[in-house]
Amino acid sequence: MELRSRIRELFQKGEIGSLIGYGRGTLPLSARPIFITEGGVDQLIFDITCGVNLAKYLLRKKPIAGQKVGIICKGCDGRAIIQYLTEGQLNREDVYIIGISCPGMIDPNRVREKVRGRVVTNYQMNGEEITLSGDGFQLTLPREDLLSRSCLRCRYPSPPIYDTFIGSPKDRVEIQDEYRSVAEIESLPAAERWNYFQSEFGRCIRCYACRNSCPFCYCDVCFVDQTNPQWFGKGVELTDTIIFHLVRALHTAGRCVDCGSCERACPMGIKLTLLSKRMEREVRERFDYIPGLSVEETPPMAAYREDDPQEFIQ
Amino acid sequence: MRKLLKKDLPRLIEWLKTSYLLYGPTEYGFAPIADHTPELITPIRPPKGIFFPQYQVLFRYDGKVPKSKGIGLFGVRPCDAKGLLILNRIFTQGPYRDNYWQDQYQSGIIIGIGCNQPQPTCFCHWFGIGPFGKEGCDLFLTDIGDGFLIEAVSKKGEDLISSFDPLLPPTDQDLKRRDEIVARAEAQLKDGIDPKLIKERLDNLWESPIWGELAERCLSCALCTYLCPTCHCFDIQDEEKARVRIWDSCLFPLFTQEASGHNPRPEIRDRLRQRIMHKFNYLYLQYKEAGCVGCGRCVIFCPVNLDLRELMRRILDEG
Amino acid sequence: MWQPKIIAFLCNWCSYAGADLAGVSRIQYPPTIRVVRVPCSGRINPIFILKSLQSGYDGVLVSGCHPGDCHYLTGNYYARRKFALLKALLEFIGIEPGRVQFSWVSAGEGEKFAQVVERVTEDIRRLGPARYLIKDHGAEVED
């Protein structure tokens, strides 16, 4: 396997001292983040189950004895790292970015929705189709039905910056209707939009799996955890829940790289990326900025232009 | 033991609804049954929140009282029913009673259903429950194909079901079929672990490197806690119009944050250890039973695949 | 007639002085606003606005210095970006566009301040009492 031999080589040459990558999980169709040194290279895998955004673990892992931390980077992990660099969260020289082209990751919530309680023990990919099989059943579905919604509209399968690349980098993908999910909601009348979000966020259990798996929710104390003052209720009253998600969308606006970690982590299958995607479009149209592409640009919410549009201000 | 034909299920439900506010399983959790016959699936959320709401108004400053009514839970899996029983013990035994829980739980009724098809993530048999464990139920249903065998487990269940007419006596064949189903389901749950052993091993693992290793990956969210049928930690807060009780989780840093700014469990490692120790050591010490029912929800939903079963096996190896 | 309750966040250097000028000039405007004086429109965290809606205000008015006039030179430029996103997000989830409004009012524009309050009040009166984000503390209650 090219992945393992290349990583072993990096360890042997002393390019990296430790590595953040993916290993096999205990459930079918699951992978888990692993943290290894040279001895653990044989645990490494990379396939369509490796959805967790690893960039966040970089903020916890510091280089040991001057040796860089290696990290396996799909497009979204790489973009998150670029965003960290613009936000001053990382030193570029501490990290060794190992690029890899992303085939698109499956969303466990969407798999569950499709198999309805049956147990998948194996899967196979044939071009645009994925076959799931288990005890007494086989289900062949188009890729679009199982992949993370974020992956289906992803334009950057490979990280924009890397120190080495496994395989060859994929070009930018042209996606026509990147904001289709947002536009669908926008086509509804206001009252129906409210009803829709009420039913989505009404399911939220405030477990914060979305926040804690988000590469950009790295504040030491999140605004919902502040106690002096405590801004909002911590229970599941609809208004508190919705405001939590609104403010999270605002705080990640202009930073979110649409990796879809939040949506995949949500046990209740809430379509969390609707809000972040809406913000992404606004930032792009208004401030002409796409997060995670360039280290030089200032993040949009830490910048301004004198002629920013202000049609909404009297 | 009586038999209910499948076509009579809607009648049973309608009949139960005359005495109880009846909740049944939906994809996401237990919800009031309106005009439908619930599909007997295992919901993502366990039923604990029905009796112990995630956001509960304890009292309002204007003196108005939140509404409540006797609740019936229909289609509860053995693990979840046992989970409620564990919570009941925690909330009502010992020197202090939790009236909010007690009023709700004791006025309610729990109708369980056996699991003909346990999942690979199920490990209820570790805790002596099994796919047809009846503990914690008032009535227990077994799906035998053309109908359900109904068994009264408690006096409350017996009183209730004895006045429902459309039940038949089960035939020998029905009983035989049930035995087959039970045997087949139980055979699927293999390789148990004795919680007593885990407890003993944990006594020596306070300083183990296991915790640090797990914490590397753990996101410190409360997904596992909030989907757990037995986690019961809460916080009480005064809001603008009411004093409320809300769920809290030992995995949040704020859980132990003191007013001085000091936090006795500052690292994920400390908090993760607390969660495991509480469930498998402290609760076992108190009640001779672990605070886990093996429902597998934390295993299925953990975004970073922290598998509790794997951890337990490791604990047995290391201790 | 039902009077809306509106919270107005006014920057200390321009809009608050503008409101003051409206007062000393004895310009009449509806008594619907409750003023919160902030040092700069850049100080207004979107959380303040959401908290106001949750606390039961029927509307929110945010006002600061005209672009280029900020006492701190750039505060209102940053604020403008934040407000643009908040406004888009609120409308996206179905909150009526008129509930949260923004304006630039300078210290000399007492007249304009009165007009803004009048217009905002009129808009919110038309929308009726706020419904969506109010916290009800376990609504179903009996006496």
Side-chain angles (χ1 to χ4, degrees):
Chain A
M1 198 156 137
E2 195 199 348
L3 170 69
R4 291 178 191 170
S5 60
R6 289 283 298 282
I7 301 291
R8 188 168 290 118
E9 207 177 296
L10 290 175
F11 273 116
Q12 282 163 357
K13 283 202 230 150
E15 296 278 6
I16 54 174
S18 57
L19 180 91
I20 307 174
Y22 297 100
R24 187 51 60 230
T26 54
L27 302 178
L29 296 180
S30 78
R32 56 168 59 163
I34 55 171
F35 313 93
I36 57 167
T37 50
E38 196 177 342
V41 171
D42 286 332
Q43 296 171 42
L44 283 174
I45 60 155
F46 188 78
D47 60 18
I48 57 166
T49 63
C50 301
V52 182
N53 193 313
L54 297 180
K56 193 165 196 179
Y57 291 105
L58 271 182
L59 302 180
R60 299 190 195 172
K61 295 277 167 193
K62 295 292 162 231
I64 304 165
Q67 283 199 295
K68 291 186 181 189
V69 182
I71 179 167
I72 305 282
C73 275
K74 313 183 288 288
C76 49
D77 307 63
R79 289 176 65 204
I81 290 175
I82 290 177
Q83 203 59 32
Y84 282 161
L85 294 171
T86 64
E87 293 172 13
Q89 295 298 317
L90 275 183
N91 291 323
R92 179 68 182 87
E93 54 276 18
D94 290 348
V95 189
Y96 192 91
I97 300 174
I98 300 151
I100 196 161
S101 266
C102 177
M105 295 296 156
I106 53 165
D107 180 340
N109 284 317
R110 302 194 75 193
V111 175
R112 277 194 284 273
E113 202 178 289
K114 288 287 180 304
V115 300
R116 310 270 324 155
R118 289 173 297 186
V119 183
V120 182
T121 50
N122 212 343
Y123 76 90
Q124 223 184 347
M125 278 194 78
N126 305 308
E128 291 297 292
E129 283 184 340
I130 299 176
T131 304
L132 304 171
S133 51
D135 192 16
F137 83 97
Q138 207 177 38
L139 195 62
T140 301
L141 293 165
R143 203 171 151 262
E144 293 88 76
D145 286 1
L146 298 176
L147 250 50
S148 200
R149 292 178 190 89
S150 298
C151 298
L152 292 171
R153 58 185 177 226
C154 171
R155 305 207 286 164
Y156 308 96
S158 307
I161 55 169
Y162 48 83
D163 296 301
T164 186
F165 206 95
I166 293 174
S168 50
K170 257 194 238 169
D171 283 343
R172 197 178 119 157
V173 186
E174 276 315 319
I175 302 278
Q176 298 305 323
D177 49 359
E178 201 175 346
Y179 299 106
R180 192 178 61 196
S181 59
V182 172
E184 275 167 13
I185 299 293
E186 279 178 327
S187 68
L188 301 171
E192 278 177 45
R193 293 204 295 277
W194 172 254
N195 287 341
Y196 175 78
F197 283 106
Q198 201 172 359
S199 74
E200 281 293 299
F201 293 116
R203 297 204 297 276
C204 176
I205 59 171
R206 297 290 287 266
C207 69
Y208 301 134
C210 50
R211 179 190 75 184
N212 291 18
S213 61
C214 173
F216 299 108
C217 283
Y218 57 70
C219 289
D220 279 345
V221 180
C222 176
F223 77 98
V224 280
D225 288 338
Q226 287 175 349
T227 50
N228 195 13
Q230 179 178 317
W231 290 105
F232 301 107
K234 296 161 76 72
V236 285
E237 260 220 295
L238 187 72
T239 159
D240 290 324
T241 314
I242 288 190
I243 289 176
F244 161 63
H245 289 288
L246 291 180
V247 178
R248 205 178 83 82
L250 287 172
H251 286 182
T252 53
R255 309 164 66 215
C256 171
V257 296
D258 196 24
C259 66
S261 277
C262 48
E263 210 165 272
R264 285 190 296 269
C266 179
M268 305 302 278
I270 300 169
K271 295 196 183 71
L272 290 161
T273 52
L274 275 175
L275 295 184
S276 52
K277 216 53 193 165
R278 176 68 187 85
M279 286 292 89
E280 183 189 305
R281 197 186 71 194
E282 195 70 22
V283 167
R284 193 165 154 178
E285 287 171 357
R286 238 171 222 284
F287 314 133
D288 190 27
Y289 182 88
I290 299 174
L293 294 184
S294 147
V295 184
E296 279 78 40
E297 262 181 286
T298 314
M301 300 316 283
Y304 66 88
R305 273 205 321 258
E306 286 180 9
D307 61 346
D308 276 332
Q310 56 170 16
E311 79 295 344
F312 64 97
I313 300 176
Q314 297 182 32
Chain B
M1 179 82 62
R2 269 148 286 197
K3 184 180 179 183
L4 174 81
L5 292 173
K6 282 217 167 142
K7 68 173 174 55
D8 288 332
L9 183 61
R11 281 178 70 186
L12 175 67
I13 292 198
E14 280 313 308
W15 184 74
L16 287 167
K17 273 160 72 174
T18 56
S19 333
Y20 292 96
L21 175 59
L22 197 65
Y23 282 65
T26 68
E27 188 181 352
Y28 296 108
F30 281 81
I33 300 174
D35 297 325
H36 65 289
T37 306
E39 198 188 340
L40 294 172
I41 52 175
T42 311
I44 295 172
R45 306 183 73 183
K48 74 170 171 185
I50 307 296
F51 296 130
F52 170 46
Q54 186 165 3
Y55 177 89
Q56 183 174 26
V57 174
L58 300 181
F59 58 81
R60 288 170 60 104
Y61 312 140
D62 58 12
K64 290 179 177 169
V65 185
K67 275 184 188 165
S68 74
K69 188 186 171 186
I71 287 174
L73 287 182
F74 187 84
V76 180
R77 298 287 163 181
C79 50
D80 286 343
K82 179 65 189 265
L84 292 171
L85 197 65
I86 291 176
L87 289 178
N88 188 49
R89 197 163 54 199
I90 289 163
F91 282 132
T92 61
Q93 288 180 12
Y96 305 104
R97 270 181 308 121
D98 185 307
N99 293 335
Y100 296 97
W101 165 275
Q102 196 177 25
D103 294 350
Q104 289 278 292
Y105 184 72
Q106 291 184 355
S107 65
I109 191 156
I110 294 165
I111 298 139
I113 179 150
C115 302
N116 294 19
Q117 183 59 56
Q119 303 285 308
T121 47
C122 292
F123 53 109
C124 54
H125 60 303
W126 294 13
F127 306 98
I129 300 167
F132 291 86
K134 300 174 184 59
E135 230 186 322
C137 299
D138 294 301
L139 289 170
F140 192 82
L141 271 56
T142 307
D143 185 344
I144 53 164
D146 62 340
F148 296 98
L149 291 185
I150 301 186
E151 203 176 325
V153 184
S154 69
K155 169 108 191 1
K156 200 199 278 181
E158 180 61 51
D159 292 348
L160 182 70
I161 205 66
S162 57
S163 50
F164 180 63
D165 292 333
L167 297 177
L168 312 166
T171 63
D172 286 347
Q173 199 166 5
D174 291 337
L175 293 175
K176 198 167 147 249
R177 201 178 314 153
R178 180 196 61 169
D179 292 343
E180 283 166 15
I181 288 168
V182 171
R184 202 183 321 132
E186 282 176 351
Q188 289 185 28
L189 298 173
K190 294 184 281 261
D191 301 333
I193 284 180
D194 182 1
K196 183 158 182 278
L197 274 181
I198 298 173
K199 191 261 161 203
E200 284 164 7
R201 297 288 155 85
L202 282 172
D203 286 341
N204 307 316
L205 288 178
W206 181 259
E207 296 291 355
S208 165
I210 291 183
W211 312 118
E213 276 170 45
L214 288 174
E216 276 191 320
R217 188 158 89 239
C218 178
L219 298 170
S220 193
C221 70
L223 187 150
C224 48
T225 332
Y226 285 179
L227 294 185
C228 178
T230 65
C231 272
H232 53 270
C233 289
F234 59 81
D235 191 6
I236 290 177
Q237 298 209 329
D238 287 333
E239 293 190 338
E240 286 88 343
K241 290 180 192 153
R243 175 165 295 177
V244 297
R245 166 155 83 179
I246 49 181
W247 290 0
D248 205 345
S249 165
C250 53
L251 291 171
F252 292 148
L254 209 59
F255 187 68
T256 46
Q257 180 82 43
E258 295 168 10
S260 66
H262 172 66
N263 191 344
R265 292 187 207 131
E267 303 294 330
I268 298 178
R269 183 188 66 128
D270 309 318
R271 303 197 286 271
L272 205 54
R273 175 172 61 195
Q274 164 63 21
R275 179 156 199 272
I276 302 299
M277 284 286 184
H278 188 190
K279 284 196 158 335
F280 297 99
N281 193 307
Y282 314 149
L283 278 175
Y284 194 93
L285 196 66
Q286 251 180 309
Y287 301 115
K288 294 284 166 282
E289 259 184 339
C292 174
V293 292
C295 68
R297 288 185 177 90
C298 56
V299 177
I300 300 171
F301 291 99
C302 178
V304 293
N305 189 236
L306 273 178
D307 189 324
L308 195 67
R309 301 167 302 168
E310 187 188 33
L311 171 63
M312 292 298 120
R313 295 210 171 88
R314 240 193 103 193
I315 286 170
L316 286 189
D317 291 344
E318 304 249 330
Chain C
M1 187 169 52
W2 171 73
Q3 289 292 351
K5 239 195 311 181
I6 300 166
I7 190 167
F9 294 99
L10 307 181
C11 101
N12 180 51
W13 303 98
C14 296
S15 300
Y16 190 83
D20 219 14
L21 182 62
V24 295
S25 316
R26 309 203 170 193
I27 306 171
Q28 293 291 317
Y29 61 84
T32 50
I33 60 165
R34 279 77 170 155
V35 175
V36 178
R37 178 159 64 156
V38 292
C40 174
S41 51
R43 173 66 185 94
I44 301 165
N45 188 330
I47 284 177
F48 298 173
I49 296 168
L50 291 164
K51 184 75 188 172
S52 305
L53 292 172
Q54 190 184 48
S55 312
Y57 282 100
D58 301 304
V60 182
L61 168 64
V62 173
S63 191
C65 306
H66 287 274
D69 285 353
C70 179
H71 184 77
Y72 307 99
L73 306 178
T74 58
N76 53 1
Y77 288 131
Y78 291 108
R80 188 167 58 185
R81 288 201 158 188
K82 284 187 273 186
F83 298 154
L85 296 190
L86 176 68
K87 193 164 166 61
L89 199 57
L90 286 176
E91 285 171 26
F92 185 53
I93 66 159
I95 309 291
E96 310 91 331
R99 286 277 175 222
V100 179
Q101 301 205 25
F102 305 89
S103 66
W104 303 137
V105 172
S106 79
E109 294 176 320
E111 194 95 26
K112 179 175 178 190
F113 183 79
Q115 282 166 9
V116 166
V117 174
E118 216 152 291
R119 199 171 321 141
V120 170
T121 304
E122 198 37 56
D123 284 352
I124 290 169
R125 205 172 267 150
R126 213 172 309 120
L127 291 171
R131 289 166 291 163
Y132 288 154
L133 287 171
I134 299 175
K135 185 152 170 126
D136 60 13
H137 303 270
E140 276 187 46
V141 289
E142 46 197 40
D143 292 320

